[in-house]
Amino acid sequence: MILDLDIGNTLSKWRLKDTASSEIRSRGAVWTREEWRPGADIPDLDVVEAVRISSVAREAVLQETVTLLKRQVGAVHVARSAAEALGVSNGYREPGRLGVDRWMGSLAGYQLAGACCCVDCGSAITIDFVLPGGRHLGGYILPGLRLMKESLQLGTRNVAIDPDSEADELLAPGRNTVEAVNHGIFMAAVSAVNRIYSEVCDREGVALPLLMTGGDARVVSRGMRVPHALWPDMVYAGLEACFPLTPAERAGRMAGAPRVPPPVTLEKIRAGLAFSVFV
Ligand SMILES: Nc1ncnc2c1ncn2[C@@H]1O[C@H](COP(=O)(O)OP(=O)(O)O)[C@@H](O)[C@H]1O
Ligand SMILES: CC(C)(COP(=O)(O)O)[C@@H](O)C(=O)NCCC(=O)O
Ligand SMILES: [K+]
Protein backbone atom coordinates (compact mmCIF):
# COMPACT_ATOMS: atom_id res chain seq x y z
CA MET A 1 0.00 0.00 0.00
CA ILE A 2 1.13 3.57 -0.72
CA LEU A 3 0.26 6.37 1.69
CA ASP A 4 -0.09 9.75 -0.02
CA LEU A 5 -0.16 12.87 2.16
CA ASP A 6 -1.25 16.36 1.10
CA ILE A 7 -0.56 18.58 4.09
CA GLY A 8 -2.27 21.94 3.61
CA ASN A 9 -2.61 24.88 5.98
CA THR A 10 -6.08 23.77 7.13
CA LEU A 11 -6.35 20.04 6.47
CA SER A 12 -3.89 17.21 6.13
CA LYS A 13 -5.42 14.91 3.56
CA TRP A 14 -4.35 11.28 3.16
CA ARG A 15 -5.24 8.37 0.94
CA LEU A 16 -4.13 4.76 0.73
CA LYS A 17 -3.44 3.41 -2.73
CA ASP A 18 -3.01 -0.23 -3.66
CA THR A 19 0.46 -0.72 -5.12
CA ALA A 20 -0.58 -3.52 -7.46
CA SER A 21 -4.01 -2.42 -8.68
CA SER A 22 -3.61 1.38 -8.26
CA GLU A 23 -7.04 1.48 -6.60
CA ILE A 24 -7.67 4.02 -3.84
CA ARG A 25 -8.54 1.91 -0.78
CA SER A 26 -9.37 4.62 1.74
CA ARG A 27 -8.95 8.31 2.37
CA GLY A 28 -9.39 10.86 5.10
CA ALA A 29 -8.31 14.19 6.51
CA VAL A 30 -7.14 15.55 9.85
CA TRP A 31 -6.72 19.17 10.91
CA THR A 32 -3.24 20.48 10.28
CA ARG A 33 -2.16 21.64 13.71
CA GLU A 34 1.18 22.36 15.25
CA GLU A 35 1.07 19.05 17.07
CA TRP A 36 -0.01 17.10 14.01
CA ARG A 37 1.21 13.51 14.25
CA PRO A 38 0.47 10.40 12.28
CA GLY A 39 -1.45 8.36 14.84
CA ALA A 40 -5.00 7.32 15.51
CA ASP A 41 -6.35 9.49 12.66
CA ILE A 42 -3.97 8.04 10.12
CA PRO A 43 -4.24 4.54 8.66
CA ASP A 44 -2.31 1.57 9.95
CA LEU A 45 1.29 2.01 8.84
CA ASP A 46 1.97 -1.73 8.93
CA VAL A 47 0.46 -2.09 5.46
CA VAL A 48 2.34 0.91 4.02
CA GLU A 49 5.37 0.26 1.81
CA ALA A 50 5.94 3.81 0.66
CA VAL A 51 4.86 7.34 1.56
CA ARG A 52 4.69 10.36 -0.72
CA ILE A 53 4.30 13.81 0.83
CA SER A 54 3.38 17.26 -0.40
CA SER A 55 3.47 19.68 2.54
CA VAL A 56 3.09 23.44 2.89
CA ALA A 57 3.10 23.23 6.70
CA ARG A 58 6.05 24.56 8.65
CA GLU A 59 9.29 22.76 7.80
CA ALA A 60 9.60 21.53 11.42
CA VAL A 61 6.19 19.82 11.17
CA LEU A 62 7.28 18.10 7.97
CA GLN A 63 10.61 16.99 9.43
CA GLU A 64 8.95 15.50 12.52
CA THR A 65 6.43 13.69 10.34
CA VAL A 66 9.15 12.30 8.09
CA THR A 67 11.23 11.15 11.08
CA LEU A 68 8.23 9.34 12.55
CA LEU A 69 7.24 7.72 9.27
CA LYS A 70 10.79 6.59 8.47
CA ARG A 71 10.81 4.43 11.59
CA GLN A 72 8.04 2.29 10.10
CA VAL A 73 8.12 2.75 6.34
CA GLY A 74 11.03 1.97 4.05
CA ALA A 75 10.52 4.63 1.42
CA VAL A 76 9.46 8.20 2.22
CA HIS A 77 9.38 10.57 -0.75
CA VAL A 78 9.03 14.29 -0.03
CA ALA A 79 8.13 16.52 -2.98
CA ARG A 80 10.04 19.79 -3.37
CA SER A 81 9.54 22.66 -5.77
CA ALA A 82 12.34 22.65 -8.32
CA ALA A 83 13.48 24.80 -11.25
CA GLU A 84 12.33 22.16 -13.72
CA ALA A 85 10.43 18.85 -13.64
CA LEU A 86 8.49 16.70 -16.11
CA GLY A 87 8.84 19.27 -18.87
CA VAL A 88 7.67 22.22 -16.78
CA SER A 89 10.00 25.11 -15.91
CA ASN A 90 9.17 26.93 -12.69
CA GLY A 91 8.30 30.62 -13.15
CA TYR A 92 9.51 31.73 -9.72
CA ARG A 93 12.80 33.62 -9.55
CA GLU A 94 13.51 31.42 -6.52
CA PRO A 95 11.87 28.15 -7.63
CA GLY A 96 12.11 26.55 -4.18
CA ARG A 97 9.80 29.20 -2.78
CA LEU A 98 6.82 28.22 -4.91
CA GLY A 99 4.35 26.34 -2.69
CA VAL A 100 4.91 22.66 -3.39
CA ASP A 101 1.12 22.06 -3.63
CA ARG A 102 1.05 24.59 -6.47
CA TRP A 103 4.03 22.88 -8.12
CA MET A 104 2.41 19.43 -7.80
CA GLY A 105 -0.84 20.81 -9.25
CA SER A 106 0.94 22.49 -12.14
CA LEU A 107 2.91 19.33 -12.98
CA ALA A 108 -0.25 17.21 -12.86
CA GLY A 109 -2.16 19.73 -14.95
CA TYR A 110 0.56 19.79 -17.58
CA GLN A 111 0.72 15.99 -17.71
CA LEU A 112 -3.03 15.78 -18.22
CA ALA A 113 -3.90 18.79 -20.34
CA GLY A 114 -0.64 20.30 -21.55
CA ALA A 115 -0.65 24.09 -21.15
CA CYS A 116 -3.23 24.94 -18.48
CA CYS A 117 -4.49 27.13 -15.68
CA CYS A 118 -4.58 25.38 -12.27
CA VAL A 119 -6.74 26.78 -9.48
CA ASP A 120 -6.49 25.44 -5.91
CA CYS A 121 -9.28 26.66 -3.62
CA GLY A 122 -8.04 25.85 -0.11
CA SER A 123 -6.97 28.04 2.82
CA ALA A 124 -5.64 30.26 0.10
CA ILE A 125 -6.87 30.36 -3.48
CA THR A 126 -3.93 29.94 -5.82
CA ILE A 127 -4.03 30.38 -9.59
CA ASP A 128 -1.08 29.10 -11.63
CA PHE A 129 -0.40 29.14 -15.35
CA VAL A 130 1.63 26.81 -17.56
CA LEU A 131 2.09 27.79 -21.22
CA PRO A 132 2.49 25.50 -24.23
CA GLY A 133 6.03 24.15 -24.07
CA GLY A 134 5.87 23.92 -20.30
CA ARG A 135 6.76 27.43 -19.15
CA HIS A 136 5.13 28.01 -15.76
CA LEU A 137 4.49 31.74 -15.51
CA GLY A 138 3.98 32.03 -11.78
CA GLY A 139 0.57 32.89 -10.43
CA TYR A 140 -1.67 34.57 -7.91
CA ILE A 141 -2.45 33.98 -4.25
CA LEU A 142 -5.56 35.29 -2.55
CA PRO A 143 -7.29 34.43 0.71
CA GLY A 144 -9.58 31.40 0.56
CA LEU A 145 -13.30 31.57 1.35
CA ARG A 146 -12.86 30.60 4.98
CA LEU A 147 -10.04 33.10 5.56
CA MET A 148 -12.01 35.91 3.94
CA LYS A 149 -14.97 35.12 6.13
CA GLU A 150 -12.94 34.89 9.33
CA SER A 151 -11.19 38.17 8.63
CA LEU A 152 -14.56 39.96 8.77
CA GLN A 153 -15.23 38.76 12.32
CA LEU A 154 -18.98 39.02 11.97
CA GLY A 155 -19.75 35.74 13.68
CA THR A 156 -20.67 34.06 10.40
CA ARG A 157 -17.74 31.65 10.22
CA ASN A 158 -19.77 28.58 11.06
CA VAL A 159 -22.37 29.13 8.37
CA ALA A 160 -20.70 27.73 5.27
CA ILE A 161 -21.88 28.31 1.73
CA ASP A 162 -24.03 25.38 0.62
CA PRO A 163 -22.04 23.88 -2.27
CA ASP A 164 -25.33 22.89 -3.91
CA SER A 165 -26.67 26.47 -4.10
CA GLU A 166 -27.16 27.77 -7.61
CA ALA A 167 -24.78 30.51 -8.74
CA ASP A 168 -27.80 32.75 -9.34
CA GLU A 169 -28.74 32.61 -5.66
CA LEU A 170 -25.16 33.17 -4.54
CA LEU A 171 -24.77 36.24 -6.72
CA ALA A 172 -27.94 37.92 -5.40
CA PRO A 173 -27.65 40.70 -2.80
CA GLY A 174 -27.70 39.15 0.69
CA ARG A 175 -30.68 39.95 2.91
CA ASN A 176 -29.08 39.12 6.23
CA THR A 177 -25.49 39.11 7.51
CA VAL A 178 -24.78 35.48 6.73
CA GLU A 179 -26.07 35.86 3.18
CA ALA A 180 -24.31 39.19 2.63
CA VAL A 181 -21.00 37.74 3.78
CA ASN A 182 -21.35 34.42 1.94
CA HIS A 183 -22.45 36.06 -1.29
CA GLY A 184 -19.73 38.71 -0.93
CA ILE A 185 -16.86 36.30 -0.51
CA PHE A 186 -18.26 34.02 -3.22
CA MET A 187 -18.36 37.01 -5.56
CA ALA A 188 -14.82 38.04 -4.57
CA ALA A 189 -13.43 34.59 -5.28
CA VAL A 190 -15.23 33.86 -8.55
CA SER A 191 -14.70 37.37 -9.94
CA ALA A 192 -11.00 37.12 -9.23
CA VAL A 193 -10.61 33.67 -10.78
CA ASN A 194 -12.71 34.51 -13.87
CA ARG A 195 -10.86 37.78 -14.41
CA ILE A 196 -7.36 36.46 -13.79
CA TYR A 197 -7.97 33.52 -16.12
CA SER A 198 -9.18 35.83 -18.90
CA GLU A 199 -6.49 38.48 -18.41
CA VAL A 200 -3.64 35.98 -18.55
CA CYS A 201 -5.08 34.13 -21.57
CA ASP A 202 -5.44 37.53 -23.27
CA ARG A 203 -1.92 38.73 -22.51
CA GLU A 204 -0.32 35.39 -23.48
CA GLY A 205 -2.54 34.98 -26.55
CA VAL A 206 -3.68 31.45 -25.69
CA ALA A 207 -6.95 29.93 -24.48
CA LEU A 208 -6.02 27.51 -21.71
CA PRO A 209 -7.83 24.49 -20.27
CA LEU A 210 -8.82 25.21 -16.67
CA LEU A 211 -8.46 22.74 -13.79
CA MET A 212 -9.74 23.23 -10.25
CA THR A 213 -9.00 21.50 -6.96
CA GLY A 214 -9.18 22.10 -3.18
CA GLY A 215 -11.81 21.99 -0.45
CA ASP A 216 -13.81 24.90 -1.92
CA ALA A 217 -13.40 24.01 -5.60
CA ARG A 218 -16.96 22.77 -5.98
CA VAL A 219 -18.38 26.03 -4.62
CA VAL A 220 -16.12 28.32 -6.64
CA SER A 221 -16.79 26.21 -9.73
CA ARG A 222 -20.46 27.29 -9.54
CA GLY A 223 -19.47 30.81 -10.49
CA MET A 224 -17.02 30.02 -13.26
CA ARG A 225 -17.87 31.52 -16.65
CA VAL A 226 -15.61 29.25 -18.68
CA PRO A 227 -15.37 25.47 -19.16
CA HIS A 228 -13.32 23.75 -16.49
CA ALA A 229 -12.74 20.37 -14.84
CA LEU A 230 -12.76 19.52 -11.13
CA TRP A 231 -9.88 17.32 -10.04
CA PRO A 232 -9.96 16.66 -6.28
CA ASP A 233 -6.80 14.50 -6.51
CA MET A 234 -4.74 16.99 -8.52
CA VAL A 235 -2.02 17.45 -5.86
CA TYR A 236 -1.85 13.68 -5.35
CA ALA A 237 -1.53 13.30 -9.12
CA GLY A 238 1.59 15.50 -9.01
CA LEU A 239 3.02 13.09 -6.43
CA GLU A 240 2.18 10.15 -8.70
CA ALA A 241 3.90 11.81 -11.64
CA CYS A 242 7.02 12.73 -9.62
CA PHE A 243 7.32 9.41 -7.79
CA PRO A 244 5.60 6.76 -9.95
CA LEU A 245 5.36 3.49 -8.00
CA THR A 246 2.50 1.44 -9.46
CA PRO A 247 2.34 -0.07 -12.97
CA ALA A 248 -0.44 2.37 -13.94
CA GLU A 249 1.58 5.34 -12.66
CA ARG A 250 4.65 4.18 -14.56
CA ALA A 251 2.46 4.11 -17.67
CA GLY A 252 1.54 7.75 -16.98
CA ARG A 253 -2.03 7.21 -15.73
CA MET A 254 -3.05 9.47 -12.84
CA ALA A 255 -5.85 8.46 -10.46
CA GLY A 256 -9.11 10.37 -10.76
CA ALA A 257 -7.98 12.41 -13.74
CA PRO A 258 -11.06 14.15 -15.18
CA ARG A 259 -12.03 14.68 -18.78
CA VAL A 260 -10.86 18.20 -19.51
CA PRO A 261 -13.32 20.24 -21.60
CA PRO A 262 -11.70 22.29 -24.36
CA PRO A 263 -11.44 25.99 -23.53
CA VAL A 264 -13.61 28.58 -25.27
CA THR A 265 -11.85 30.47 -28.05
CA LEU A 266 -9.49 33.34 -27.34
CA GLU A 267 -11.93 35.61 -29.21
CA LYS A 268 -14.67 34.76 -26.74
CA ILE A 269 -12.37 35.30 -23.77
CA ARG A 270 -11.38 38.69 -25.17
CA ALA A 271 -15.01 39.59 -25.89
CA GLY A 272 -15.80 38.88 -22.24
CA LEU A 273 -12.98 41.17 -21.13
CA ALA A 274 -14.14 43.91 -23.46
CA PHE A 275 -17.18 44.45 -21.22
CA SER A 276 -14.88 45.58 -18.44
CA VAL A 277 -13.09 48.18 -20.54
CA PHE A 278 -14.77 51.59 -20.30
CA VAL A 279 -12.39 53.82 -22.23
N1 LIG B 1 -15.18 19.40 5.76
C1 LIG B 1 -14.41 20.48 5.67
N2 LIG B 1 -13.58 20.78 6.67
C2 LIG B 1 -12.80 21.87 6.59
N3 LIG B 1 -12.79 22.70 5.56
C3 LIG B 1 -13.61 22.46 4.55
C4 LIG B 1 -14.45 21.35 4.53
N4 LIG B 1 -15.13 21.35 3.37
C5 LIG B 1 -14.73 22.43 2.70
N5 LIG B 1 -13.83 23.14 3.40
C6 LIG B 1 -13.20 24.34 2.93
O1 LIG B 1 -11.99 23.89 2.35
C7 LIG B 1 -10.89 24.65 2.82
C8 LIG B 1 -9.77 23.72 3.04
O2 LIG B 1 -9.49 23.15 1.80
P1 LIG B 1 -8.15 22.42 1.52
O3 LIG B 1 -8.02 22.35 0.06
O4 LIG B 1 -8.08 21.16 2.29
O5 LIG B 1 -7.15 23.49 2.15
P2 LIG B 1 -5.63 23.39 2.55
O6 LIG B 1 -4.98 22.60 1.45
O7 LIG B 1 -5.22 24.80 2.60
O8 LIG B 1 -5.56 22.72 3.88
C9 LIG B 1 -11.34 25.33 4.10
O9 LIG B 1 -10.73 26.58 4.18
C10 LIG B 1 -12.85 25.42 3.93
O10 LIG B 1 -13.22 26.66 3.39
C1 LIG C 1 -0.03 29.70 -1.06
C2 LIG C 1 -0.15 28.56 -0.06
C3 LIG C 1 -0.22 29.12 1.33
C4 LIG C 1 -1.44 27.77 -0.38
O1 LIG C 1 -1.58 26.76 0.57
P1 LIG C 1 -2.98 26.08 0.93
O2 LIG C 1 -4.05 27.10 0.82
O3 LIG C 1 -3.20 25.00 -0.11
O4 LIG C 1 -2.83 25.50 2.29
C5 LIG C 1 1.05 27.57 -0.21
O5 LIG C 1 1.13 27.14 -1.52
C6 LIG C 1 2.35 28.20 0.23
O6 LIG C 1 2.67 28.25 1.40
N1 LIG C 1 3.14 28.70 -0.74
C7 LIG C 1 4.41 29.34 -0.51
C8 LIG C 1 4.38 30.73 -1.06
C9 LIG C 1 4.26 30.78 -2.56
O7 LIG C 1 3.74 29.85 -3.21
O8 LIG C 1 4.70 31.80 -3.13
K1 LIG D 1 -4.56 26.37 -2.02
Side-chain angles (χ1 to χ4, degrees):
M1 221 56 99
I2 301 162
L3 173 63
D4 289 323
L5 290 176
D6 170 10
I7 305 179
N9 282 293
T10 303
L11 291 173
S12 295
K13 281 77 66 183
W14 60 265
R15 69 172 196 186
L16 270 182
K17 188 174 190 186
D18 191 296
T19 316
S21 71
S22 270
E23 271 168 53
I24 309 301
R25 295 285 178 209
S26 54
R27 49 172 87 230
V30 292
W31 298 107
T32 304
R33 298 177 296 254
E34 277 187 27
E35 72 277 20
W36 186 82
R37 296 276 188 285
D41 302 324
I42 288 281
D44 180 10
L45 288 177
D46 291 346
V47 299
V48 174
E49 298 137 36
V51 184
R52 300 181 287 207
I53 307 176
S54 163
S55 171
V56 296
R58 287 184 305 113
E59 185 64 25
V61 175
L62 174 63
Q63 284 318 323
E64 281 174 36
T65 307
V66 169
T67 306
L68 277 160
L69 288 169
K70 275 199 171 149
R71 280 188 211 137
Q72 296 192 58
V73 182
V76 179
H77 306 281
V78 178
R80 299 280 178 194
S81 296
E84 197 279 331
L86 302 168
V88 181
S89 58
N90 190 321
Y92 263 31
R93 281 186 283 273
E94 294 183 61
R97 296 209 179 260
L98 177 70
V100 71
D101 54 348
R102 299 173 57 193
W103 184 235
M104 291 299 103
S106 299
L107 295 180
Y110 190 68
Q111 291 274 311
L112 182 69
C116 58
C117 170
C118 297
V119 178
D120 188 334
C121 305
S123 313
I125 296 171
T126 59
I127 307 164
D128 279 90
F129 291 88
V130 184
L131 290 187
R135 187 158 68 91
H136 169 258
L137 292 176
Y140 302 79
I141 302 174
L142 46 143
L145 296 181
R146 179 186 286 252
L147 271 180
M148 284 197 240
K149 194 186 284 197
E150 283 178 2
S151 68
L152 289 169
Q153 301 202 316
L154 284 170
T156 56
R157 59 185 288 177
N158 292 326
V159 193
I161 300 176
D162 175 1
D164 293 321
S165 324
E166 293 300 325
D168 258 8
E169 281 168 48
L170 291 172
L171 296 172
R175 302 185 67 202
N176 59 44
T177 308
V178 165
E179 267 182 28
V181 167
N182 279 345
H183 297 194
I185 61 176
F186 175 75
M187 189 64 123
V190 301
S191 317
V193 177
N194 278 315
R195 180 71 182 264
I196 288 169
Y197 170 83
S198 299
E199 291 283 354
V200 174
C201 289
D202 174 37
R203 60 179 278 155
E204 300 298 334
V206 57
L208 295 168
L210 176 59
L211 294 161
M212 303 185 71
T213 194
D216 287 318
R218 212 156 72 81
V219 175
V220 176
S221 133
R222 298 247 152 196
M224 291 309 300
R225 294 284 167 94
V226 291
H228 57 278
L230 292 179
W231 192 2
D233 279 9
M234 188 159 79
V235 171
Y236 289 137
L239 289 172
E240 292 172 346
C242 288
F243 309 108
L245 298 174
T246 75
E249 290 170 2
R250 291 205 176 92
R253 289 198 295 280
M254 294 172 288
R259 196 193 71 82
V260 185
V264 296
T265 62
L266 192 54
E267 289 65 36
K268 280 200 176 153
I269 292 171
R270 287 183 167 149
L273 277 173
F275 286 112
S276 55
V277 176
F278 295 106
V279 287

